[in-house]
């Protein structure tokens, strides 16, 4: 019996209600940031907005001080990943958003011990048609995977569908990073791949919570880590875009917990 044969943990109704509230808070903070972005905005200003808005909603910023294995703790409240940055970009004062950029903002809120994790890639001013098409593709990849999720569906089916969609558009999918289970911690098993094969991974069942967050590259899938120990960028310097939702498996499909109303 491999780990993949073990059933995924499920949440109880009261825990699901708490996850709905955490997801809504994260989504609202992401929308607040999105409305504030524009040419000339600095990374540290984005970080401040996330800290203030998260606090105003009664939450804490789950990414601040986060450690994954060895290496430095994440030094900020939010990931800010412009252009060729794939994920985990640092929102520093040196990052100044420019007309024509695309930029992913990734917010993870902890509310009363439960987590909501969501990201979107925004346009700064007027990006090129190619950049806009990549962003639309990344959103479509996330949303088609969410639409596939439901009880009895193997997790690998989602990654396979994402990869097929991206490849049909001449783009590639990052394999080293993926989605994850989520609940009382930001990152829980299982790893959620955004690539095939479809027969891989555990079966979904009602009450399971996880994220879908494909990183789609205009060029090749290879990435490299900057010397800061966090920032992941494309090896070929071409654009990357990402969207993320936290979802709950329901009796007949999946409910998005990080929709902004
Ligand atoms: N929110 C990110 C994710 O989607 C987590 C980034 S870890 C951090 O999984 F430490 F960089 F914030
Ligand atoms: Co995530
Ligand atoms: Co995230």
């Amino acid at each position: 019996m491999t780990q993949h044969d073990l059933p995924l943990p499920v949440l109880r109704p009261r825990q699901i209600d708490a996850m709905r509230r955490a997801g809504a808070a994260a989504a609202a903070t992401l929308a607040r940031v999105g409305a504030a972005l524009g040419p000339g905005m600095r990374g540290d200003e984005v970080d401040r907005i996330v800290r203030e808005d998260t606090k105003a909603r009664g939450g804490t910023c789950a990414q601040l001080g986060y450690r994954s294995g060895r290496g430095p703790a994440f030094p900020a409240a939010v990931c800010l990943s412009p252009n060729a940055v794939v994920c985990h970009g640092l929102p520093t004062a040196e990052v100044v958003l420019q007309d024509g950029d695309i930029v992913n903002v990734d917010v993870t809120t902890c509310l009363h011990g439960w987590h909501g994790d969501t990201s979107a890639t925004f346009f700064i001013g007027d990006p090129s048609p190619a950049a806009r098409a990549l962003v639309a593709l990344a959103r479509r990849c996330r949303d088609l995977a969410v639409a596939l999720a439901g009880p009895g569906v193997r997790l690998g089916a989602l990654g396979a569908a994402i990869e097929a969609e991206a490849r049909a558009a001449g783009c590639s999918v990052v394999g080293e990073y993926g989605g994850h289970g989520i609940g009382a911690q930001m990152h829980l098993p299982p790893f959620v791949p955004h690539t095939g094969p479809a027969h891989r991974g555990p079966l979904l069942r009602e009450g399971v919570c996880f994220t879908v967050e494909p990183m789609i590259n205009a060029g090749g899938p290879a990435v490299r880590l900057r010397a800061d120990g966090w920032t992941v960028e494309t090896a070929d310097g071409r654009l990357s875009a990402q969207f993320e939702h936290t979802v709950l498996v329901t009796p007949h499909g999946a409910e998005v917990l990080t929709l902004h109303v």
Side-chain angles (χ1 to χ4, degrees):
M1 187 161 182
T2 70
Q3 192 198 342
H4 282 166
D5 301 318
L6 293 171
L8 296 172
V10 302
L11 298 183
R12 294 190 297 274
R14 264 199 293 275
Q15 300 174 318
I16 288 171
D17 280 340
M19 283 296 286
R20 285 197 180 100
R21 285 191 284 271
T29 297
L30 180 62
R32 165 78 184 80
V33 175
L37 292 175
M41 165 126 349
R42 295 189 321 266
D44 61 320
E45 297 176 292
V46 174
D47 192 70
R48 169 180 275 270
I49 293 169
V50 170
R51 288 182 198 228
E52 291 180 353
D53 195 78
T54 301
K55 189 173 177 190
R57 295 175 192 284
T60 59
C61 302
Q63 296 175 110
L64 184 61
Y66 180 78
R67 279 180 186 280
S68 73
R70 297 183 301 274
F74 193 73
V78 60
C79 297
L80 187 69
S81 303
N83 300 321
V85 178
V86 171
C87 63
H88 305 168
L90 304 179
T92 63
E94 288 72 50
V95 177
V96 184
L97 298 175
Q98 312 280 345
D99 182 26
D101 285 353
I102 61 170
V103 63
N104 178 275
V105 178
D106 191 332
V107 171
T108 312
T109 299
C110 180
L111 190 71
H112 309 310
W114 298 87
H115 292 79
D117 187 5
T118 185
S119 85
T121 301
F122 297 97
F123 300 150
I124 305 301
D126 191 18
S128 70
R132 288 171 183 266
L134 179 70
V135 171
L137 173 63
R139 182 194 288 271
R140 200 160 71 239
C141 284
R142 189 238 357 230
D143 291 344
L144 67 83
V146 170
L148 279 178
V153 174
R154 202 166 283 287
L155 200 48
L158 279 59
I162 289 168
E163 189 171 23
E165 184 77 11
R167 285 197 179 176
C171 295
S172 67
V173 183
V174 173
E176 285 93 331
Y177 302 86
H180 47 88
I182 182 168
Q185 294 177 54
M186 173 170 67
H187 286 166
L188 289 169
F191 179 74
V192 178
H194 301 124
T195 57
H199 58 77
R200 177 173 62 171
L203 290 175
L204 297 174
R205 56 181 182 148
E206 185 183 348
V208 170
C209 272
F210 65 100
T211 74
V212 179
E213 48 181 302
M215 287 141 271
I216 309 298
N217 293 354
V223 299
R224 63 184 174 212
L225 185 65
R226 282 195 196 154
D228 62 28
W230 276 107
T231 307
V232 179
E233 60 190 3
T234 59
D236 59 15
R238 296 186 63 188
L239 295 178
S240 186
Q242 179 182 28
F243 285 84
E244 176 176 23
H245 271 321
T246 298
V247 304
L248 164 74
V249 180
T250 59
H252 301 291
E255 176 183 339
V256 176
L257 302 184
T258 43
L259 279 182
H260 182 62
V261 285

